[in-house]
Amino acid sequence: MATIAFIGLGNMGGPMAANLAKAGHTVKAFDLSPKALETAAEQGCQVADSAQDAATGADFVISMLPAGKHVQGLYVSGEQPLFDLLSSDALVIDCSTIDAETARSVAAAGAEKGVGFIDAPVSGGVGGAQAGTLTFIVGGTDAQFQKAQPILECMGKNIFHAGDHGAGQIAKVCNNMLLGILMAGTCEALNMGVKNGLDPKVLSDIMKQSSGNNWALQVYNPVPGVMDGVPASRDYQGGFQVDLMFKDLGLAMEVSQQSASATPMGSAARSLFNLHKSAGNGGLDFSSLIKLYQDAE
Ligand code: NAD
């Protein structure tokens, strides 16, 4: 069993750290929020006084933070960067969704100090984090991937090696750009059908058996009442927030810009989610985008 420092115990990191403790690892947890630390202690983690305290002597450091600047600050440019105190046997696994450029530069800064760093963003949301069924998409060397695998298996079901450093983040934004596009398209088609007198459940069943079939129609229908247990049927509470989809589409646009890749659909999806967010819907699940299409009641 390993000693694991876990930094960032929010909606995702909290349950991920709890699953590592449940699997028998020693988890030294740190977050800026006292409430998050309290919950971590209840779930079998040891609470640390600082990120440095958590990381001292750890075999692995896992971070689950909001954005690239937090990851950069923690390991490289903050007051007491963790790369200065980790041993060369330790491996850093950053599970945050951040820009690939920062992931690559932090990995390079780690390599200079002899410390391994991989990007391992996740798909599967809070439900997947709680159930231990996340998908991990790893960027790093073969040896680093193999070392991380048994740890990631305590928190996830599908573990992919996308390529070298940064590749995990690129694959993640490709997926989430497609998710944003397919949700927008599904909302558009369903709204047009409903405005022309169709029952959304009947239309959904037709499209599921036809060539328009997709993930949103199968498991995440955006129209309230069509499907039980999805955010649309509980006022778009829980699930994957518009704010996070907007963040991921922004990361996709950065990748598109840097690589001169044409992404007209991704760009349109980002604008749609931006409009929806600007109307005060940032905290709702992303399937609430259908409200943007619906006529005012
Ligand atoms: P969150 O805001 O709930 O959690 C982030 C946590 O990091 C907070 O508890 C905050 O206090 C802590 N934190 C921030 N800076 C810190 C620092 N310097 N030291 C210690 N703790 C610090 O966010 P989340 O939903 O858990 O998302 C985390 C990451 O996972 C993000 O990059 C997000 O894009 C990604 N993600 C989220 C989801 C989702 O459905 N929520 C799904 C996939 C990926």
Side-chain angles (χ1 to χ4, degrees):
M1 288 294 145
T3 298
I4 302 171
F6 205 113
I7 319 293
L9 307 161
N11 292 322
M12 296 292 290
M16 289 165 70
N19 281 330
L20 287 168
K22 214 185 290 168
H25 295 294
T26 300
V27 180
K28 295 183 174 175
F30 179 70
D31 193 290
L32 298 174
S33 147
K35 175 105 183 45
L37 289 175
E38 211 176 287
T39 309
E42 284 162 15
Q43 299 191 318
C45 301
Q46 294 176 15
V47 166
D49 291 334
S50 65
Q52 290 72 22
D53 177 27
T56 302
D59 303 311
F60 295 89
V61 179
I62 302 181
S63 41
M64 195 50 165
L65 296 169
K69 63 180 180 193
H70 304 99
V71 175
Q72 165 84 21
L74 181 66
Y75 296 109
V76 186
S77 58
E79 252 175 50
Q80 288 177 283
L82 295 194
F83 281 156
D84 284 353
L85 61 84
L86 288 169
S87 86
S88 57
D89 295 335
L91 179 66
V92 174
I93 305 175
D94 180 46
C95 298
S96 327
T97 301
I98 66 171
D99 60 291
E101 205 41 54
T102 299
R104 284 189 206 106
S105 75
V106 174
E112 266 179 36
K113 306 246 173 190
V115 183
F117 172 98
I118 58 173
D119 44 303
V122 305
S123 179
V126 177
Q130 287 165 341
T133 57
L134 290 169
T135 295
F136 285 89
I137 313 167
V138 175
T141 65
D142 285 340
Q144 289 168 337
F145 176 73
Q146 276 158 26
K147 189 169 176 178
Q149 212 167 5
I151 301 300
L152 299 180
E153 278 166 359
C154 301
M155 303 177 282
K157 207 169 56 169
N158 298 300
I159 324 286
F160 291 104
H161 188 188
D164 209 347
H165 298 107
Q169 299 294 353
I170 300 277
K172 162 84 187 181
V173 293
C174 289
N175 178 71
N176 279 27
M177 183 176 79
L178 179 57
L179 176 62
I181 292 167
L182 79 81
M183 182 55 82
T186 303
C187 291
E188 209 162 293
L190 284 169
N191 184 62
M192 186 166 80
V194 169
K195 281 198 74 167
N196 283 277
L198 295 185
D199 177 330
K201 187 167 185 337
V202 173
L203 177 58
S204 296
D205 286 344
I206 292 167
M207 295 196 292
K208 267 197 288 188
Q209 297 304 325
S210 308
S211 43
N213 186 18
N214 68 54
W215 178 88
L217 288 173
Q218 284 166 12
V219 300
Y220 219 92
N221 199 293
V223 179
V226 169
M227 209 172 252
D228 289 335
V230 293
S233 293
R234 45 172 196 267
D235 282 336
Y236 302 105
Q237 299 303 308
F240 183 53
Q241 290 183 354
V242 169
D243 281 341
L244 286 175
M245 175 51 88
F246 181 66
K247 171 194 160 183
D248 290 356
L249 288 169
L251 291 172
M253 292 305 99
E254 281 176 32
V255 173
S256 144
Q257 172 73 20
Q258 285 155 4
S259 55
S261 310
T263 51
M265 305 288 283
S267 170
R270 180 171 183 272
S271 295
L272 289 167
F273 280 99
N274 195 0
L275 281 173
H276 190 48
K277 174 182 161 67
S278 307
N281 299 306
L284 297 182
D285 176 72
F286 81 119
S287 64
S288 64
L289 186 73
I290 197 158
K291 287 166 175 268
L292 195 67
Y293 292 87
Q294 290 166 331
D295 295 335
E297 307 229 319

